[in-house]
Structure formats: structure tokens, C-alpha cells
Amino acid sequence: MALLKSGWLWRQSSVLKRWKLNWCDLWIDGSLCFYKTDSRREFEHRVSLKTSCIDIRSGLECGGVIPPESNPRENLIVVQRRDGYSLNLCANSEDESIAWKLTLLETRRNPVFAYDPYDDSYQAVPISNYHTVYITPGAGPGTNQVIVHRNPCDGLAENLAVGILAGVAAGAAMRSFMWMPVFFC
């Protein structure tokens, strides 16, 4: 999975409304993950922007949210979710707040497109947590080549089920052939 942006952000807790500093990772599938430290060992929270996000606001657009003590209101980022709750974040500067907002908006809206040379067209590729995505520089300036690898274990259960069914059918057929000499002798 490709990492789009990471860094330290203040996050307001949902119950006590206290601000705490978290390491944030924004992944290409739209997952915004929060960790206690930048080592990414202690996972705290995950928000799927593609499925649960309605709107993203930053700076003075965030009415009714009080920033942490040492930060001005311009550093705020509010992610409105479908369930009615909002995720309140605060960056270290106004520029960083705008950069996070633009990256979050881009991740939420833009699917990944892959070129199909057989049809000579681009097709949207649904990205999930089980895909591996590599982004490499393309042939021309400003172009990127996106390679999406599916999980090699996808379809394993279907193949296993077909194999078990074939084995049961073969066993039943062989068992009936074993009784043939008794009935016809």
C-alpha cells in the first residue's frame, strides 16, 4: 500500500474533547490512521475517507471548534463524517493545515486509474487494503505510472471449495465402482 502523507497532527478525542498529539498516515486507499508514536507500533484510530467522509474544512471555516492552547484557529482541520460525528485535527502551521486539507480532499475524491493497452483506455481500479500499489515516475514529465498488484491469496477459498467438491464427487464415484463386482457376480 502506498503512503501519501504522514506527519504529526493534534487530534481531539471524541469523549473528553482533549487534544493529543498523534502520528498520522494517509494511505492511497483513503485510510487516515492515527498512532501514538511515529514508529507506528501502537495503533489508535482509523478513518476511511472514501466511505465515511462528507466534507473537509480548514482554518476559519471550522466554526465552533476551539484549537489547542498554543495553536491559532487557522491551523484547524475538521473532517465531517456520515455518521454525524466530526474528526477535529490541528496542524502545526497554517500552510501545513492547507496541505493536509488538499491531500485529504484529493484522496477522498480521486480513484486510481490504470491503463489497459488492449482496450486503449483507462479504467478505475478499486483499491482496498489487500492491494499493493507502486507509483513510479512515468515516461514524460509530470506523469506517473501506477501498478496495482492483487493479493495472491484472492480466490484461494473458491479454488479450495471447487477442489473439495471435486474430491467428494470423485470419491463417491470410486466407491460405487467398488461395489460393482458384488452386484454383477
Side-chain angles (χ1 to χ4, degrees), residues 75-124:
N75 298 0
L76 288 174
I77 305 164
V78 175
V79 177
Q80 292 289 332
R81 297 181 359 195
R82 290 190 196 282
D83 56 7
Y85 295 105
S86 63
L87 177 65
N88 299 329
L89 305 170
C90 186
N92 293 325
S93 69
E94 184 178 0
D95 292 337
E96 189 176 340
S97 170
I98 293 171
W100 270 102
K101 177 186 177 181
L102 293 176
T103 307
L104 291 170
L105 284 171
E106 182 180 343
T107 303
R108 182 180 73 125
R109 293 186 181 141
N110 291 339
V112 173
F113 289 97
Y115 179 70
D116 186 8
Y118 299 109
D119 293 338
D120 194 30
S121 64
Y122 287 91
Q123 298 175 352

Side-chain angles (χ1 to χ4, degrees), residues 11-170:
R11 181 173 66 99
Q12 192 174 29
S13 64
S14 58
V15 178
L16 297 177
K17 302 294 183 191
R18 294 187 180 160
W19 289 95
K20 55 184 176 178
L21 192 60
N22 285 120
W23 181 262
C24 301
D25 285 341
L26 179 61
W27 298 92
I28 197 167
D29 69 340
S31 297
L32 182 62
C33 299
F34 298 96
Y35 304 93
K36 288 186 178 181
T37 63
D38 59 351
S39 66
R40 298 181 181 99
R41 290 188 182 153
E42 296 181 48
F43 178 78
E44 278 198 2
H45 188 66
R46 178 185 171 272
V47 176
S48 176
L49 296 176
K50 292 196 185 257
T51 58
S52 68
C53 178
I54 295 175
D55 188 26
I56 300 171
R57 297 179 301 205
S58 69
L60 299 176
E61 301 171 335
C62 308
V65 180
I66 300 170
E69 296 174 0
S70 62
N71 291 314
R73 184 174 291 281
E74 288 82 15
N75 298 0
L76 288 174
I77 305 164
V78 175
V79 177
Q80 292 289 332
R81 297 181 359 195
R82 290 190 196 282
D83 56 7
Y85 295 105
S86 63
L87 177 65
N88 299 329
L89 305 170
C90 186
N92 293 325
S93 69
E94 184 178 0
D95 292 337
E96 189 176 340
S97 170
I98 293 171
W100 270 102
K101 177 186 177 181
L102 293 176
T103 307
L104 291 170
L105 284 171
E106 182 180 343
T107 303
R108 182 180 73 125
R109 293 186 181 141
N110 291 339
V112 173
F113 289 97
Y115 179 70
D116 186 8
Y118 299 109
D119 293 338
D120 194 30
S121 64
Y122 287 91
Q123 298 175 352
V125 178
I127 301 294
S128 69
N129 293 335
Y130 303 106
H131 290 130
T132 304
V133 179
Y134 300 100
I135 300 176
T136 60
T143 61
N144 289 328
Q145 179 183 9
V146 178
I147 301 168
V148 179
H149 288 282
R150 292 188 57 186
N151 188 359
C153 295
D154 277 352
L156 184 65
E158 292 87 9
N159 294 338
L160 182 66
V162 170
I164 289 174
L165 186 62
V168 168

